[in-house]
Amino acid sequence: MEGSESEAIFDSLNLNPQLFVNETLNTVDDILNDAFDFYLQEASKILKFEGTDRSRDLTKGVNYIRNMIQSSLDKRLAMWEKYCLRHCFSVPEGFSLPKNDELLASSSMIQDALSEPDVDAELDSLRKKLTLVGAETDKLNSELKESEKQSASRVHCTELISETLQLYEDSSAHVMFQEMMQTVTELRVKMSEFNTRKAEKMKHEGGERVCSSLTDYFTANSKNGLSNAKLDDLEEFLAELKKT
C-alpha cells in the first residue's frame, strides 16, 4: 500500500490504515500475554507450586503453550493484515476526493438542512407519533394477551361443564336403571304374594261352598239320607262341586 494512490488519499484525510492495523495487533498481543500471566498465577496458587522447584516446570509448560498459540495466532493475524490493507483500505481506480470548495458547500448544505426549524419540528412530531404508536402497540399486545387468556379460560370451563354433564347423565341413567330393576323386583314379589293370597282365598271359598252345598243338601233331604238321594240330585251336587 506504500506509495499507492490509496495511501495518498488516506494521508490527505489524516488517516493511517497501517497504524490502525499495528495497534490492533499490539492489543491482541497484550490480551494474550495478560491471559497467560493470569493463568500461570492461578495455576501456581491452586497447585501450590509457588517458591518450589516445580514452579519452574509449570512456567516452562505454560510458556510452551503460549508460544504454540502465539505462533498460530501470528500467522492468522498476518493474513488478516494483508486482507485489510489490500481490500478494506483500498480505493477504486480513478477515485478522487472532492475539492475543498465542494466539501465546504456540501457541509454547509447539510448544516442548513439540519438547523432548519421546520425540519426540527417535523422530527419532533415524528418522534411523538412514534412514541404514541409504540404505546398503542403495547396496549394492543396487552389486550390481545388478556383476550387469549380469557378465551383459554372459557374453553377450559366449557370442557369442565361438558365433562360434568356427561358424568351426570351417565350417573342418572345408571340410577334410573337400578331403580327400574328394583321396581320390577318389588312388582314380581307383590304379584307372587297376590297370586298366593288369591289362590288361598279361592281355595278357602271353594271349601266353604262345598260345605254349604252339603249342608243345604242334607238339610233339605234330612229324612232320606245320602243313600236314598235321587240320581238327579247327586249329579247336580257333583256339578256344583266341579264349579268350585
Side-chain angles (χ1 to χ4, degrees), residues 10-128:
F10 282 112
D11 288 341
S12 64
L13 297 174
N14 293 324
L15 297 175
N16 191 338
Q18 187 63 56
L19 180 61
F20 166 77
V21 172
N22 292 339
E23 290 180 354
T24 302
L25 296 176
N26 293 333
T27 301
V28 172
D29 290 337
D30 292 340
I31 294 174
L32 183 66
N33 292 330
D34 292 340
F36 274 98
D37 290 341
F38 177 78
Y39 175 77
L40 179 59
Q41 182 180 359
E42 292 298 316
S44 299
K45 290 181 180 179
I46 294 173
L47 299 175
K48 298 179 180 180
F49 286 169
E50 294 181 351
T52 64
D53 295 337
R54 303 191 66 179
S55 177
R56 289 177 295 178
D57 296 334
L58 178 63
T59 302
K60 183 178 179 181
V62 171
N63 288 333
Y64 176 80
I65 297 174
R66 177 189 298 183
N67 293 333
M68 183 175 61
I69 295 176
Q70 184 74 55
S71 176
S72 177
L73 187 61
D74 288 343
K75 292 178 180 179
R76 294 180 179 274
L77 289 176
M79 295 173 61
W80 173 80
E81 179 181 2
K82 292 179 180 180
Y83 180 84
C84 287
L85 296 177
R86 293 178 180 179
H87 300 283
C88 298
F89 296 105
S90 65
V91 296
E93 294 183 1
F95 176 82
S96 61
L97 292 173
K99 297 180 180 180
N100 292 334
D101 294 340
E102 295 177 356
L103 288 174
L104 291 175
S106 176
S107 177
S108 177
M109 291 176 62
I110 294 174
Q111 292 295 331
D112 292 341
L114 294 176
S115 62
E116 288 182 0
D118 294 339
V119 175
D120 294 337
E122 187 174 357
L123 289 175
D124 291 338
S125 178
L126 290 174
R127 291 191 187 97
K128 292 179 181 179

Side-chain angles (χ1 to χ4, degrees), residues 128-156:
K128 292 179 181 179
K129 290 180 179 179
L130 183 61
T131 303
L132 293 175
V133 169
E136 188 68 20
T137 301
D138 294 338
K139 183 179 179 181
L140 290 175
N141 288 332
S142 299
E143 293 178 355
L144 180 61
K145 291 180 180 179
E146 186 66 24
S147 177
E148 291 176 351
K149 291 180 181 179
Q150 293 178 359
S151 178
S153 178
R154 291 193 189 98
V155 171
H156 183 63

Side-chain angles (χ1 to χ4, degrees), residues 128-236:
K128 292 179 181 179
K129 290 180 179 179
L130 183 61
T131 303
L132 293 175
V133 169
E136 188 68 20
T137 301
D138 294 338
K139 183 179 179 181
L140 290 175
N141 288 332
S142 299
E143 293 178 355
L144 180 61
K145 291 180 180 179
E146 186 66 24
S147 177
E148 291 176 351
K149 291 180 181 179
Q150 293 178 359
S151 178
S153 178
R154 291 193 189 98
V155 171
H156 183 63
C157 291
T158 303
E159 292 177 352
L160 290 177
I161 292 173
S162 299
E163 292 177 359
T164 303
L165 290 175
Q166 185 65 34
L167 292 173
Y168 175 76
E169 291 175 357
D170 296 342
S171 177
S172 299
H174 180 70
V175 171
M176 290 176 64
F177 179 76
Q178 293 294 330
E179 291 178 353
M180 289 175 62
M181 293 297 296
Q182 184 177 356
T183 303
V184 170
T185 302
E186 293 176 356
L187 182 60
R188 287 178 179 175
V189 174
K190 290 182 179 179
M191 288 181 66
S192 177
E193 293 176 354
F194 176 75
N195 291 332
T196 302
R197 290 196 301 268
K198 183 177 179 181
E200 292 177 353
K201 182 178 180 182
M202 290 178 63
K203 182 178 181 182
H204 180 68
E205 290 178 352
E208 289 181 351
R209 284 199 296 271
V210 171
C211 292
S212 177
S213 298
L214 290 172
T215 301
D216 292 343
Y217 180 80
F218 286 114
T219 300
N221 302 279
S222 58
K223 295 180 178 181
N224 297 327
L226 183 62
S227 60
N228 296 323
K230 296 179 180 180
L231 182 59
D232 294 338
D233 294 335
L234 291 175
E235 289 178 353
E236 183 181 356

